[in-house]
Amino acid sequence: MNKDKFTPIAEVQGLTLTELKNIIRQRPLYIWGAGFLGRAIKRLFERNGFTVKAFLDINPDLNMVESIAVLRPQNVIANIKKEGAFLIPAVGSQSAAIERHCLEAGLEKNKDFLPYMRMPRQQAVIEAGGACNYACSVCVKQNSALNYMSAELYKKVLNKLAVENPLLLSVDLSLWREPLLNPEIAEIIRITKEYVPCKLITKLQHSVYLEKAVKASPDQIQINAEGYEKTYEQNQTGGGRWQTFLENLHKLKEYKDKHNVNTEIYLMYILYKNNAVDDFNKMRNLCASLGFKIGTDTAYLTPYDNFLDVCEGRVLSPQIQKIKDLLPWNIDAVLKLCVQNGGKPCLCQRIFPVINYDASVLLCHLFCKAGVIDNFFDVSYDEIVKMRVKNDFCKVCQRYGLHRLDIDVLKKYFPEKDMA
Ligand code: SF4
Ligand code: SF4
C-alpha cells in the first residue's frame, strides 16, 4: 500500500489550442499515421483552422485518405524543414521510432514536430447503453436492465461537450454496456460524425441493429474477443456464445461490403493463459480472411473495481474469480510492482469525460463505480474537470497503484521482473 505518494490528475492534457497555434503558426501539417488516430487528429486540426497537407504512412496500399494524399515517410521527411512544414505523430506504438526519424532528418522537437505525449489527445467515452457485458463482484448498477441513452439526449451531450472542448479528439461508444442493444445507435453514430470521429466498441453478441449501425459508417468498429471457440466462451464474465459471435462477424463483413462503407474493423483479441498461441493464430487467420485488422491486449479484471476488491480483501464473484485464475500474469506480484511505481502519474487521465447513459459523469474509464457528478448539464466542462481533479477516489486508487496497472508499462519500468 502506498499512503504517501499521490499525483493529482492534470487539468490540461497536452498542449492548449493557444500553445499549438503559437508553435505551429500558419505552417502546413503532415500527420504521420493514416489510421483511426491520424484521421481523428486531422479533423481536430482542421476544425481549429490548421491546414493538413498530407498523411505519412508506411502502408503501400494507402494513397488517399480523407481526401488528402498518403505519402511514404522516407520520401518526405528530409524536406519538411526546407518546406517550412510541421509534423504531428499519430501512431502511439511507434512514437519513439517516429521521434528518432524526425531528429535524424534534422527536425527540432517542439519547433518542427510535436512529441507524441504533447498532443492534446482528449478522448471522450459515452456509454450509449444496453445491458452490461460484465459481472462484477459487487455491482451497484442496474446490471440486467436494458438502459441506454436516447439519440436526443446524446445530441445534447455531444453538442455541449464539443462547444466547451474544442480539442475533443474522438468519441468511444461505449464502455461496459453493449451499444448494439441501443435501437437508436445508428442515429447516435450519425450525430457523432457531425462533430468528431467515432469508434463503436462491441462484443458482437447482438445483431438486431448491426446493419443499421454499419450503414451509419462509424470510423472504427472495435470488436472485443476473449478467445476462439471454446476459450471464447470460457473467458467471458458476462456470457457470450461463440456461434453467435462467428455469425455476427460474417454479417459485419456482409453489411460492410453491401453498404460500401470505409469503416475500419479492428478485432481486439484479449490474451489469457489459455488462448495465446493456437487460438490466436486461428483468430488471426479468420480476421485475414474477412479483411479485418487484429491486435492484442492483455487480460485484466475489468473494470478495475474488481482489482480494488482484491486489494481490500473482498470476496470476488465466482465469474471474476475464474477470470483471475486465467490472467497470464501473477496478480500479487504485479500489484506489488504497481505500488512501487505508484508515484508516477495516472495512465488513463486523457480519456475523459466518461459519460454514462443517464448523463452522469464517471471519474475514468477504468472504474465503474466512481462518479464525478450526476448530471453533465449541471456545470461547465471546465468545472467538471476541476471536480475530477479534486475527487478523493483517486487517492484510494493510487494507494494501491492501480492507476499504473498496465502490464506493458510495468514491463518498461521493471524489465527484469518475471510477472507470469
Ligand atoms: S461493469 Fe459496472 S454495471 Fe457492469 S457488472 Fe460491473 S459494476 Fe455492474
Ligand atoms: S481513479 Fe481513475 S482517474 Fe483516478 S487515479 Fe485512478 S485510474 Fe486515474
PDB file of all heavy atoms in Angstrom, residues 122-127 157 161 165 168 170-172 349-356 360-365 376 381 384-385 388:
ATOM      1  N   GLN A 122      -7.612  14.239 -26.383  1.00  0.00           N
ATOM      2  CA  GLN A 122      -8.681  14.143 -25.390  1.00  0.00           C
ATOM      3  C   GLN A 122      -9.804  13.278 -25.937  1.00  0.00           C
ATOM      4  O   GLN A 122     -10.605  13.715 -26.749  1.00  0.00           O
ATOM      5  CB  GLN A 122      -9.194  15.546 -25.086  1.00  0.00           C
ATOM      6  CG  GLN A 122      -9.983  15.645 -23.814  1.00  0.00           C
ATOM      7  CD  GLN A 122      -9.103  15.733 -22.586  1.00  0.00           C
ATOM      8  OE1 GLN A 122      -8.211  16.561 -22.524  1.00  0.00           O
ATOM      9  NE2 GLN A 122      -9.331  14.866 -21.612  1.00  0.00           N
ATOM     10  N   GLN A 123      -9.839  12.032 -25.493  1.00  0.00           N
ATOM     11  CA  GLN A 123     -10.847  11.088 -25.993  1.00  0.00           C
ATOM     12  C   GLN A 123     -12.013  11.014 -25.022  1.00  0.00           C
ATOM     13  O   GLN A 123     -11.800  10.755 -23.846  1.00  0.00           O
ATOM     14  CB  GLN A 123     -10.262   9.682 -26.031  1.00  0.00           C
ATOM     15  CG  GLN A 123      -9.445   9.345 -27.241  1.00  0.00           C
ATOM     16  CD  GLN A 123      -8.726   8.050 -26.955  1.00  0.00           C
ATOM     17  OE1 GLN A 123      -7.569   8.077 -26.584  1.00  0.00           O
ATOM     18  NE2 GLN A 123      -9.415   6.925 -27.079  1.00  0.00           N
ATOM     19  N   ALA A 124     -13.213  11.212 -25.511  1.00  0.00           N
ATOM     20  CA  ALA A 124     -14.384  11.055 -24.646  1.00  0.00           C
ATOM     21  C   ALA A 124     -14.938   9.646 -24.798  1.00  0.00           C
ATOM     22  O   ALA A 124     -14.770   9.009 -25.839  1.00  0.00           O
ATOM     23  CB  ALA A 124     -15.454  12.071 -25.026  1.00  0.00           C
ATOM     24  N   VAL A 125     -15.565   9.171 -23.733  1.00  0.00           N
ATOM     25  CA  VAL A 125     -16.285   7.898 -23.798  1.00  0.00           C
ATOM     26  C   VAL A 125     -17.738   8.189 -23.437  1.00  0.00           C
ATOM     27  O   VAL A 125     -18.002   8.820 -22.411  1.00  0.00           O
ATOM     28  CB  VAL A 125     -15.711   6.875 -22.789  1.00  0.00           C
ATOM     29  CG1 VAL A 125     -16.503   5.581 -22.839  1.00  0.00           C
ATOM     30  CG2 VAL A 125     -14.244   6.613 -23.071  1.00  0.00           C
ATOM     31  N   ILE A 126     -18.650   7.802 -24.282  1.00  0.00           N
ATOM     32  CA  ILE A 126     -20.066   7.998 -23.951  1.00  0.00           C
ATOM     33  C   ILE A 126     -20.751   6.639 -24.002  1.00  0.00           C
ATOM     34  O   ILE A 126     -20.711   5.938 -25.015  1.00  0.00           O
ATOM     35  CB  ILE A 126     -20.739   9.012 -24.902  1.00  0.00           C
ATOM     36  CG1 ILE A 126     -19.955  10.349 -24.884  1.00  0.00           C
ATOM     37  CG2 ILE A 126     -22.191   9.245 -24.461  1.00  0.00           C
ATOM     38  CD1 ILE A 126     -20.548  11.461 -25.714  1.00  0.00           C
ATOM     39  N   GLU A 127     -21.310   6.288 -22.859  1.00  0.00           N
ATOM     40  CA  GLU A 127     -21.935   4.974 -22.722  1.00  0.00           C
ATOM     41  C   GLU A 127     -23.275   4.991 -23.452  1.00  0.00           C
ATOM     42  O   GLU A 127     -24.269   5.489 -22.923  1.00  0.00           O
ATOM     43  CB  GLU A 127     -22.121   4.677 -21.220  1.00  0.00           C
ATOM     44  CG  GLU A 127     -22.634   3.306 -20.896  1.00  0.00           C
ATOM     45  CD  GLU A 127     -21.624   2.212 -21.121  1.00  0.00           C
ATOM     46  OE1 GLU A 127     -21.300   1.945 -22.283  1.00  0.00           O
ATOM     47  OE2 GLU A 127     -21.150   1.620 -20.132  1.00  0.00           O
ATOM     48  N   VAL A 157     -25.717  16.109 -25.222  1.00  0.00           N
ATOM     49  CA  VAL A 157     -24.441  15.860 -24.527  1.00  0.00           C
ATOM     50  C   VAL A 157     -23.266  16.239 -25.441  1.00  0.00           C
ATOM     51  O   VAL A 157     -22.355  16.975 -25.050  1.00  0.00           O
ATOM     52  CB  VAL A 157     -24.327  14.368 -24.117  1.00  0.00           C
ATOM     53  CG1 VAL A 157     -22.901  14.017 -23.717  1.00  0.00           C
ATOM     54  CG2 VAL A 157     -25.270  14.051 -22.974  1.00  0.00           C
ATOM     55  N   LEU A 161     -20.436  19.189 -25.107  1.00  0.00           N
ATOM     56  CA  LEU A 161     -19.035  18.771 -24.999  1.00  0.00           C
ATOM     57  C   LEU A 161     -18.170  19.409 -26.089  1.00  0.00           C
ATOM     58  O   LEU A 161     -17.085  19.924 -25.817  1.00  0.00           O
ATOM     59  CB  LEU A 161     -18.974  17.233 -25.094  1.00  0.00           C
ATOM     60  CG  LEU A 161     -17.633  16.581 -24.937  1.00  0.00           C
ATOM     61  CD1 LEU A 161     -16.990  16.962 -23.611  1.00  0.00           C
ATOM     62  CD2 LEU A 161     -17.777  15.061 -25.016  1.00  0.00           C
ATOM     63  N   ASN A 165     -15.242  22.105 -25.413  1.00  0.00           N
ATOM     64  CA  ASN A 165     -13.922  21.476 -25.512  1.00  0.00           C
ATOM     65  C   ASN A 165     -13.499  21.369 -26.983  1.00  0.00           C
ATOM     66  O   ASN A 165     -13.665  20.322 -27.604  1.00  0.00           O
ATOM     67  CB  ASN A 165     -13.976  20.086 -24.849  1.00  0.00           C
ATOM     68  CG  ASN A 165     -12.623  19.406 -24.833  1.00  0.00           C
ATOM     69  OD1 ASN A 165     -11.623  19.980 -25.254  1.00  0.00           O
ATOM     70  ND2 ASN A 165     -12.604  18.184 -24.351  1.00  0.00           N
ATOM     71  N   LEU A 168     -11.528  18.310 -28.439  1.00  0.00           N
ATOM     72  CA  LEU A 168     -12.058  16.939 -28.363  1.00  0.00           C
ATOM     73  C   LEU A 168     -11.601  16.160 -29.602  1.00  0.00           C
ATOM     74  O   LEU A 168     -11.782  16.609 -30.734  1.00  0.00           O
ATOM     75  CB  LEU A 168     -13.586  16.999 -28.308  1.00  0.00           C
ATOM     76  CG  LEU A 168     -14.292  15.644 -28.279  1.00  0.00           C
ATOM     77  CD1 LEU A 168     -13.993  14.921 -26.973  1.00  0.00           C
ATOM     78  CD2 LEU A 168     -15.800  15.828 -28.440  1.00  0.00           C
ATOM     79  N   SER A 170     -12.048  12.483 -30.248  1.00  0.00           N
ATOM     80  CA  SER A 170     -12.933  11.443 -30.777  1.00  0.00           C
ATOM     81  C   SER A 170     -13.859  10.968 -29.653  1.00  0.00           C
ATOM     82  O   SER A 170     -13.655  11.310 -28.484  1.00  0.00           O
ATOM     83  CB  SER A 170     -12.118  10.254 -31.302  1.00  0.00           C
ATOM     84  OG  SER A 170     -11.381   9.675 -30.240  1.00  0.00           O
ATOM     85  N   VAL A 171     -14.848  10.181 -30.031  1.00  0.00           N
ATOM     86  CA  VAL A 171     -15.759   9.617 -29.021  1.00  0.00           C
ATOM     87  C   VAL A 171     -15.771   8.102 -29.167  1.00  0.00           C
ATOM     88  O   VAL A 171     -15.906   7.574 -30.275  1.00  0.00           O
ATOM     89  CB  VAL A 171     -17.197  10.162 -29.192  1.00  0.00           C
ATOM     90  CG1 VAL A 171     -18.169   9.412 -28.288  1.00  0.00           C
ATOM     91  CG2 VAL A 171     -17.257  11.652 -28.878  1.00  0.00           C
ATOM     92  N   ASP A 172     -15.622   7.420 -28.027  1.00  0.00           N
ATOM     93  CA  ASP A 172     -15.807   5.960 -27.989  1.00  0.00           C
ATOM     94  C   ASP A 172     -17.224   5.653 -27.542  1.00  0.00           C
ATOM     95  O   ASP A 172     -17.679   6.159 -26.514  1.00  0.00           O
ATOM     96  CB  ASP A 172     -14.859   5.315 -26.957  1.00  0.00           C
ATOM     97  CG  ASP A 172     -13.441   5.203 -27.459  1.00  0.00           C
ATOM     98  OD1 ASP A 172     -13.159   5.675 -28.575  1.00  0.00           O
ATOM     99  OD2 ASP A 172     -12.608   4.643 -26.714  1.00  0.00           O
ATOM    100  N   GLN A 349      -5.562   9.339 -17.717  1.00  0.00           N
ATOM    101  CA  GLN A 349      -6.248  10.610 -17.485  1.00  0.00           C
ATOM    102  C   GLN A 349      -6.693  11.332 -18.751  1.00  0.00           C
ATOM    103  O   GLN A 349      -7.584  12.183 -18.707  1.00  0.00           O
ATOM    104  CB  GLN A 349      -5.404  11.530 -16.618  1.00  0.00           C
ATOM    105  CG  GLN A 349      -3.982  11.729 -17.029  1.00  0.00           C
ATOM    106  CD  GLN A 349      -3.258  12.532 -15.948  1.00  0.00           C
ATOM    107  OE1 GLN A 349      -3.688  13.608 -15.585  1.00  0.00           O
ATOM    108  NE2 GLN A 349      -2.183  11.990 -15.402  1.00  0.00           N
ATOM    109  N   ARG A 350      -6.119  10.987 -19.909  1.00  0.00           N
ATOM    110  CA  ARG A 350      -6.542  11.663 -21.145  1.00  0.00           C
ATOM    111  C   ARG A 350      -7.920  11.210 -21.616  1.00  0.00           C
ATOM    112  O   ARG A 350      -8.534  11.860 -22.443  1.00  0.00           O
ATOM    113  CB  ARG A 350      -5.552  11.349 -22.278  1.00  0.00           C
ATOM    114  CG  ARG A 350      -4.293  12.166 -22.209  1.00  0.00           C
ATOM    115  CD  ARG A 350      -3.314  11.670 -23.252  1.00  0.00           C
ATOM    116  NE  ARG A 350      -2.025  12.307 -23.056  1.00  0.00           N
ATOM    117  CZ  ARG A 350      -1.619  13.372 -23.743  1.00  0.00           C
ATOM    118  NH1 ARG A 350      -2.385  13.895 -24.662  1.00  0.00           N
ATOM    119  NH2 ARG A 350      -0.442  13.903 -23.523  1.00  0.00           N
ATOM    120  N   ILE A 351      -8.328  10.058 -21.142  1.00  0.00           N
ATOM    121  CA  ILE A 351      -9.619   9.544 -21.595  1.00  0.00           C
ATOM    122  C   ILE A 351     -10.704  10.132 -20.699  1.00  0.00           C
ATOM    123  O   ILE A 351     -10.972   9.660 -19.595  1.00  0.00           O
ATOM    124  CB  ILE A 351      -9.619   7.998 -21.582  1.00  0.00           C
ATOM    125  CG1 ILE A 351      -8.490   7.507 -22.483  1.00  0.00           C
ATOM    126  CG2 ILE A 351     -10.978   7.452 -22.028  1.00  0.00           C
ATOM    127  CD1 ILE A 351      -8.302   6.024 -22.496  1.00  0.00           C
ATOM    128  N   PHE A 352     -11.284  11.229 -21.146  1.00  0.00           N
ATOM    129  CA  PHE A 352     -12.258  11.967 -20.346  1.00  0.00           C
ATOM    130  C   PHE A 352     -12.963  12.974 -21.237  1.00  0.00           C
ATOM    131  O   PHE A 352     -12.342  13.478 -22.170  1.00  0.00           O
ATOM    132  CB  PHE A 352     -11.546  12.673 -19.177  1.00  0.00           C
ATOM    133  CG  PHE A 352     -12.495  13.153 -18.121  1.00  0.00           C
ATOM    134  CD1 PHE A 352     -13.071  12.271 -17.222  1.00  0.00           C
ATOM    135  CD2 PHE A 352     -12.828  14.503 -18.042  1.00  0.00           C
ATOM    136  CE1 PHE A 352     -13.952  12.716 -16.248  1.00  0.00           C
ATOM    137  CE2 PHE A 352     -13.707  14.949 -17.076  1.00  0.00           C
ATOM    138  CZ  PHE A 352     -14.275  14.058 -16.181  1.00  0.00           C
ATOM    139  N   PRO A 353     -14.218  13.295 -21.009  1.00  0.00           N
ATOM    140  CA  PRO A 353     -15.077  12.776 -19.966  1.00  0.00           C
ATOM    141  C   PRO A 353     -15.602  11.387 -20.307  1.00  0.00           C
ATOM    142  O   PRO A 353     -15.644  10.983 -21.466  1.00  0.00           O
ATOM    143  CB  PRO A 353     -16.243  13.767 -19.940  1.00  0.00           C
ATOM    144  CG  PRO A 353     -16.330  14.282 -21.334  1.00  0.00           C
ATOM    145  CD  PRO A 353     -14.900  14.316 -21.828  1.00  0.00           C
ATOM    146  N   VAL A 354     -15.993  10.679 -19.243  1.00  0.00           N
ATOM    147  CA  VAL A 354     -16.634   9.374 -19.390  1.00  0.00           C
ATOM    148  C   VAL A 354     -18.077   9.569 -18.927  1.00  0.00           C
ATOM    149  O   VAL A 354     -18.325   9.785 -17.743  1.00  0.00           O
ATOM    150  CB  VAL A 354     -15.910   8.306 -18.541  1.00  0.00           C
ATOM    151  CG1 VAL A 354     -16.570   6.954 -18.730  1.00  0.00           C
ATOM    152  CG2 VAL A 354     -14.431   8.242 -18.920  1.00  0.00           C
ATOM    153  N   ILE A 355     -18.992   9.575 -19.888  1.00  0.00           N
ATOM    154  CA  ILE A 355     -20.375   9.957 -19.596  1.00  0.00           C
ATOM    155  C   ILE A 355     -21.279   8.727 -19.703  1.00  0.00           C
ATOM    156  O   ILE A 355     -21.279   8.039 -20.723  1.00  0.00           O
ATOM    157  CB  ILE A 355     -20.843  11.062 -20.568  1.00  0.00           C
ATOM    158  CG1 ILE A 355     -19.918  12.281 -20.427  1.00  0.00           C
ATOM    159  CG2 ILE A 355     -22.296  11.461 -20.280  1.00  0.00           C
ATOM    160  CD1 ILE A 355     -20.167  13.372 -21.431  1.00  0.00           C
ATOM    161  N   ASN A 356     -22.011   8.503 -18.643  1.00  0.00           N
ATOM    162  CA  ASN A 356     -22.883   7.332 -18.558  1.00  0.00           C
ATOM    163  C   ASN A 356     -24.162   7.517 -19.378  1.00  0.00           C
ATOM    164  O   ASN A 356     -24.478   8.630 -19.784  1.00  0.00           O
ATOM    165  CB  ASN A 356     -23.247   7.125 -17.087  1.00  0.00           C
ATOM    166  CG  ASN A 356     -23.150   5.679 -16.703  1.00  0.00           C
ATOM    167  OD1 ASN A 356     -23.284   4.807 -17.564  1.00  0.00           O
ATOM    168  ND2 ASN A 356     -22.935   5.417 -15.434  1.00  0.00           N
ATOM    169  N   SER A 360     -24.789  10.973 -16.218  1.00  0.00           N
ATOM    170  CA  SER A 360     -23.883  11.163 -15.082  1.00  0.00           C
ATOM    171  C   SER A 360     -22.452  11.008 -15.610  1.00  0.00           C
ATOM    172  O   SER A 360     -22.234  10.404 -16.666  1.00  0.00           O
ATOM    173  CB  SER A 360     -24.179  10.145 -13.975  1.00  0.00           C
ATOM    174  OG  SER A 360     -24.053   8.829 -14.467  1.00  0.00           O
ATOM    175  N   VAL A 361     -21.485  11.571 -14.878  1.00  0.00           N
ATOM    176  CA  VAL A 361     -20.092  11.560 -15.357  1.00  0.00           C
ATOM    177  C   VAL A 361     -19.248  10.695 -14.426  1.00  0.00           C
ATOM    178  O   VAL A 361     -19.279  10.871 -13.202  1.00  0.00           O
ATOM    179  CB  VAL A 361     -19.522  12.992 -15.416  1.00  0.00           C
ATOM    180  CG1 VAL A 361     -18.095  12.986 -15.956  1.00  0.00           C
ATOM    181  CG2 VAL A 361     -20.406  13.879 -16.295  1.00  0.00           C
ATOM    182  N   LEU A 362     -18.508   9.758 -15.002  1.00  0.00           N
ATOM    183  CA  LEU A 362     -17.636   8.886 -14.215  1.00  0.00           C
ATOM    184  C   LEU A 362     -16.235   9.493 -14.136  1.00  0.00           C
ATOM    185  O   LEU A 362     -15.836  10.297 -14.985  1.00  0.00           O
ATOM    186  CB  LEU A 362     -17.554   7.496 -14.851  1.00  0.00           C
ATOM    187  CG  LEU A 362     -18.866   6.715 -14.967  1.00  0.00           C
ATOM    188  CD1 LEU A 362     -18.626   5.381 -15.670  1.00  0.00           C
ATOM    189  CD2 LEU A 362     -19.464   6.478 -13.582  1.00  0.00           C
ATOM    190  N   LEU A 363     -15.503   9.043 -13.137  1.00  0.00           N
ATOM    191  CA  LEU A 363     -14.163   9.582 -12.905  1.00  0.00           C
ATOM    192  C   LEU A 363     -13.175   9.176 -14.002  1.00  0.00           C
ATOM    193  O   LEU A 363     -12.314   9.945 -14.410  1.00  0.00           O
ATOM    194  CB  LEU A 363     -13.681   9.044 -11.549  1.00  0.00           C
ATOM    195  CG  LEU A 363     -12.407   9.556 -10.955  1.00  0.00           C
ATOM    196  CD1 LEU A 363     -12.401  11.066 -10.875  1.00  0.00           C
ATOM    197  CD2 LEU A 363     -12.208   8.948  -9.572  1.00  0.00           C
ATOM    198  N   CYS A 364     -13.285   7.961 -14.484  1.00  0.00           N
ATOM    199  CA  CYS A 364     -12.387   7.486 -15.537  1.00  0.00           C
ATOM    200  C   CYS A 364     -13.003   6.242 -16.173  1.00  0.00           C
ATOM    201  O   CYS A 364     -14.024   5.736 -15.703  1.00  0.00           O
ATOM    202  CB  CYS A 364     -10.986   7.184 -15.002  1.00  0.00           C
ATOM    203  SG  CYS A 364     -10.930   5.856 -13.787  1.00  0.00           S
ATOM    204  N   HIS A 365     -12.357   5.721 -17.209  1.00  0.00           N
ATOM    205  CA  HIS A 365     -12.945   4.580 -17.909  1.00  0.00           C
ATOM    206  C   HIS A 365     -12.527   3.251 -17.287  1.00  0.00           C
ATOM    207  O   HIS A 365     -12.867   2.196 -17.805  1.00  0.00           O
ATOM    208  CB  HIS A 365     -12.545   4.596 -19.392  1.00  0.00           C
ATOM    209  CG  HIS A 365     -11.122   4.204 -19.629  1.00  0.00           C
ATOM    210  ND1 HIS A 365     -10.065   4.933 -19.145  1.00  0.00           N
ATOM    211  CD2 HIS A 365     -10.584   3.144 -20.281  1.00  0.00           C
ATOM    212  CE1 HIS A 365      -8.936   4.328 -19.499  1.00  0.00           C
ATOM    213  NE2 HIS A 365      -9.218   3.249 -20.182  1.00  0.00           N
ATOM    214  N   PHE A 376     -24.264  15.830 -16.318  1.00  0.00           N
ATOM    215  CA  PHE A 376     -23.277  16.524 -17.144  1.00  0.00           C
ATOM    216  C   PHE A 376     -23.694  17.964 -17.454  1.00  0.00           C
ATOM    217  O   PHE A 376     -22.861  18.825 -17.702  1.00  0.00           O
ATOM    218  CB  PHE A 376     -23.123  15.725 -18.448  1.00  0.00           C
ATOM    219  CG  PHE A 376     -22.155  16.298 -19.435  1.00  0.00           C
ATOM    220  CD1 PHE A 376     -20.818  16.446 -19.121  1.00  0.00           C
ATOM    221  CD2 PHE A 376     -22.587  16.692 -20.692  1.00  0.00           C
ATOM    222  CE1 PHE A 376     -19.918  16.961 -20.038  1.00  0.00           C
ATOM    223  CE2 PHE A 376     -21.700  17.206 -21.619  1.00  0.00           C
ATOM    224  CZ  PHE A 376     -20.363  17.346 -21.289  1.00  0.00           C
ATOM    225  N   TYR A 381     -17.978  22.181 -18.607  1.00  0.00           N
ATOM    226  CA  TYR A 381     -16.980  21.121 -18.733  1.00  0.00           C
ATOM    227  C   TYR A 381     -15.734  21.440 -17.886  1.00  0.00           C
ATOM    228  O   TYR A 381     -15.188  20.570 -17.218  1.00  0.00           O
ATOM    229  CB  TYR A 381     -16.601  20.937 -20.212  1.00  0.00           C
ATOM    230  CG  TYR A 381     -15.524  19.901 -20.401  1.00  0.00           C
ATOM    231  CD1 TYR A 381     -15.803  18.552 -20.183  1.00  0.00           C
ATOM    232  CD2 TYR A 381     -14.224  20.267 -20.739  1.00  0.00           C
ATOM    233  CE1 TYR A 381     -14.815  17.601 -20.306  1.00  0.00           C
ATOM    234  CE2 TYR A 381     -13.225  19.312 -20.872  1.00  0.00           C
ATOM    235  CZ  TYR A 381     -13.526  17.977 -20.665  1.00  0.00           C
ATOM    236  OH  TYR A 381     -12.553  17.045 -20.780  1.00  0.00           O
ATOM    237  N   ILE A 384     -16.319  20.547 -14.413  1.00  0.00           N
ATOM    238  CA  ILE A 384     -16.310  19.083 -14.223  1.00  0.00           C
ATOM    239  C   ILE A 384     -14.868  18.585 -14.132  1.00  0.00           C
ATOM    240  O   ILE A 384     -14.539  17.735 -13.300  1.00  0.00           O
ATOM    241  CB  ILE A 384     -17.076  18.387 -15.379  1.00  0.00           C
ATOM    242  CG1 ILE A 384     -18.565  18.697 -15.266  1.00  0.00           C
ATOM    243  CG2 ILE A 384     -16.849  16.878 -15.353  1.00  0.00           C
ATOM    244  CD1 ILE A 384     -19.412  18.203 -16.418  1.00  0.00           C
ATOM    245  N   VAL A 385     -13.994  19.159 -14.969  1.00  0.00           N
ATOM    246  CA  VAL A 385     -12.577  18.760 -14.917  1.00  0.00           C
ATOM    247  C   VAL A 385     -12.001  19.090 -13.539  1.00  0.00           C
ATOM    248  O   VAL A 385     -11.281  18.280 -12.935  1.00  0.00           O
ATOM    249  CB  VAL A 385     -11.784  19.462 -16.049  1.00  0.00           C
ATOM    250  CG1 VAL A 385     -10.283  19.289 -15.854  1.00  0.00           C
ATOM    251  CG2 VAL A 385     -12.207  18.915 -17.410  1.00  0.00           C
ATOM    252  N   ARG A 388     -13.151  16.633 -11.058  1.00  0.00           N
ATOM    253  CA  ARG A 388     -12.439  15.352 -11.236  1.00  0.00           C
ATOM    254  C   ARG A 388     -11.090  15.394 -10.527  1.00  0.00           C
ATOM    255  O   ARG A 388     -10.718  14.458  -9.809  1.00  0.00           O
ATOM    256  CB  ARG A 388     -12.240  15.106 -12.732  1.00  0.00           C
ATOM    257  CG  ARG A 388     -11.560  13.781 -13.021  1.00  0.00           C
ATOM    258  CD  ARG A 388     -11.045  13.742 -14.431  1.00  0.00           C
ATOM    259  NE  ARG A 388     -10.709  12.390 -14.853  1.00  0.00           N
ATOM    260  CZ  ARG A 388      -9.811  12.119 -15.778  1.00  0.00           C
ATOM    261  NH1 ARG A 388      -9.160  13.083 -16.393  1.00  0.00           N
ATOM    262  NH2 ARG A 388      -9.543  10.870 -16.103  1.00  0.00           N
TER     263      ARG A 388
END
